[in-house]
Amino acid sequence: MNTRRDFIQKLGLTALSLQLKPAVIWAADLHNDEKNYDGPMLRVALMGLGSYATRVAEAMAYSKKAKVAGLISGTPSKIKTWQNRYKIPDKNCYNYDNFDAIKNNPDIDAVYIITPNGLHHNQAIRVAKAGKHVICEKPMAVNAKEGQEMVDACKQAGVQLLVGYRMHFEPKTLEVIRMRNAGEFGKVLFFQGLSGFEIGDPSQWRLNKKLSGGGSMMDIGIYSVNGARYMVGEEPVWVTAQETKNNPVKFKEGVDETIQFQFGFPGGAVASCLSTYAMNNLDKFFLNGEKGFAEMQPSTGYGPIMGHTHKGELTQPHTIHQAVQMDEMAEIIFNNKKPPIPIDGNEAVKDLKLIDAVYEAVRTGKRVEVRL
Ligand code: NDP
């Protein structure tokens, strides 16, 4: 049996372990204790060895059904360090020029794209053409057209396209959705999503339109876009939005600083959301219905997610989101498992259509009708 000390030793004094509180470690340890898995392992090549890939790779030490099996990077020194850390042979390492050759590598089942948003489209299509399953970070692309092209390319190649929607497996989130489906909130009337943080270094790719595809909406606002859909449980039919820009030097043309947006749903519910790169302490969901409510804060961070409803505190365990996500992705790829909320390319295209509509509403000042 794993002890807490074993767990910490296994993880090492990494960024991840330093951020875990003791209660969280125990919960993660429990997850790791699900024994005796002897099914296939999803062998994943990570593309883009940056900060989120680091978190994913560390979390995958706790996946039962997926492991890091390959590396794709533009930085040779990172390849060396990661090879040593994850015991990856030379034959499973690539750069951005030669990774199409992964086609001939029987050691890799899927490529997980964790590069800047603006690169996902081209990289995903190349991975699909190489015959490997595509796992892609959010936002899947920088607009719905590119997203649809990725869906089509994967379909044509006969590979799966999955997106890193880690919240779709988060226990407290799923409990709120269960309650909603059971009618415990009554008719859903209102959702509020607040997603934001104060962004630092003005030279980073997140503030470069070509690499990011936009600003806060693409990076953090997408959590409220996606959250509005899974919390309300319907697809929006109209969008309105307003932009505020206080620092046009840092947030250049096409890079949004703060956007407020509203969605209307067919059942009559409305969502009111805020996406920003200019304020901290914004990670909150509120769902209100005729008979009750749910409030979550933090609602989409790495956890622990905290929340309560009109019935009391949400007490579901904390999980390491990325470890659970990778196990579930293995189940989807190998066993065609249906996730509680979809995580496929079509789901991502819906978010991108809404983000396109938010930008259009900002540009025109008009209400934009959408059909997802
Ligand atoms: P980082 O900047 O930390 O890492 C991106 C990596 O991509 C780089 O380290 C680099 O790796 C590679 N890369 C390739 N080309 C470029 C380029 N032109 N400029 C910069 N980097 C390049 O970003 P993140 O890890 O934070 O984000 C990556 C993706 O993950 C984004 O799509 C982001 O939205 C998503 N993300 C998702 C999160 C989630 O919770 N689901 C959380 C955080 C990010 P190398 O040197 O190996 O080539």
Side-chain angles (χ1 to χ4, degrees), residues 8 11 17 30 70 85 87 90 94 112 116 125 128 137 151 182 193 212 227 235 255 263 278 291 315 322 339 368 372:
I8 293 168
L11 200 57
S17 67
L30 284 177
R85 193 180 299 154
K87 309 282 168 270
D90 287 343
Y94 300 88
Y112 194 161
I125 291 173
E137 254 321 310
V151 169
S212 64
E235 299 299 4
V255 179
F263 292 160
K291 293 202 284 190
T315 55
Q322 297 81 6
V368 177
L372 302 185

Side-chain angles (χ1 to χ4, degrees), residues 155-176:
K155 191 168 174 204
Q156 198 180 356
V159 297
Q160 299 241 21
L161 171 57
L162 303 178
V163 180
Y165 285 120
R166 58 188 166 74
M167 299 313 296
H168 292 198
F169 306 106
E170 196 284 315
K172 293 186 184 74
T173 304
L174 293 179
E175 170 59 10
V176 171

Side-chain angles (χ1 to χ4, degrees), residues 12 20 46 60 84 88 100 108 116 138 171 196 211 229 251 292 301 305 311 333 343:
L20 293 172
L46 299 177
M60 276 171 78
N84 288 336
I88 310 292
D100 308 271
I108 309 290
K138 47 62 45 182
L211 287 171
R229 295 176 49 232
F251 304 101
I305 302 301
K311 294 191 164 167
I333 287 173
I343 59 162

Side-chain angles (χ1 to χ4, degrees), residues 135-201:
I135 302 173
C136 187
E137 254 321 310
K138 47 62 45 182
M140 186 178 81
V142 297
N143 56 48
K145 178 178 173 290
E146 290 200 351
Q148 188 59 51
E149 286 166 5
M150 292 161 71
V151 169
D152 295 343
C154 289
K155 191 168 174 204
Q156 198 180 356
V159 297
Q160 299 241 21
L161 171 57
L162 303 178
V163 180
Y165 285 120
R166 58 188 166 74
M167 299 313 296
H168 292 198
F169 306 106
E170 196 284 315
K172 293 186 184 74
T173 304
L174 293 179
E175 170 59 10
V176 171
I177 289 167
R178 185 204 64 72
M179 289 177 70
R180 184 202 67 218
N181 288 340
E184 293 180 32
F185 303 123
K187 183 174 153 58
V188 171
L189 302 171
F190 179 71
F191 170 78
Q192 183 188 39
L194 306 178
S195 301
F197 65 95
E198 198 176 340
I199 199 160
D201 178 11

Side-chain angles (χ1 to χ4, degrees), residues 203-251:
S203 68
Q204 65 186 287
W205 67 260
R206 281 181 166 80
L207 298 175
N208 170 332
K209 161 96 168 133
K210 201 162 181 311
L211 287 171
S212 64
S216 73
M217 275 305 300
M218 283 288 166
D219 190 43
I220 191 77
I222 191 170
Y223 285 97
S224 277
V225 171
N226 191 247
R229 295 176 49 232
Y230 66 66
M231 295 287 276
V232 173
E234 296 176 24
E235 299 299 4
V237 289
W238 59 257
V239 175
T240 50
Q242 309 79 35
E243 181 174 13
T244 314
K245 194 175 281 201
N246 291 322
N247 188 344
V249 177
K250 186 168 182 180
F251 304 101

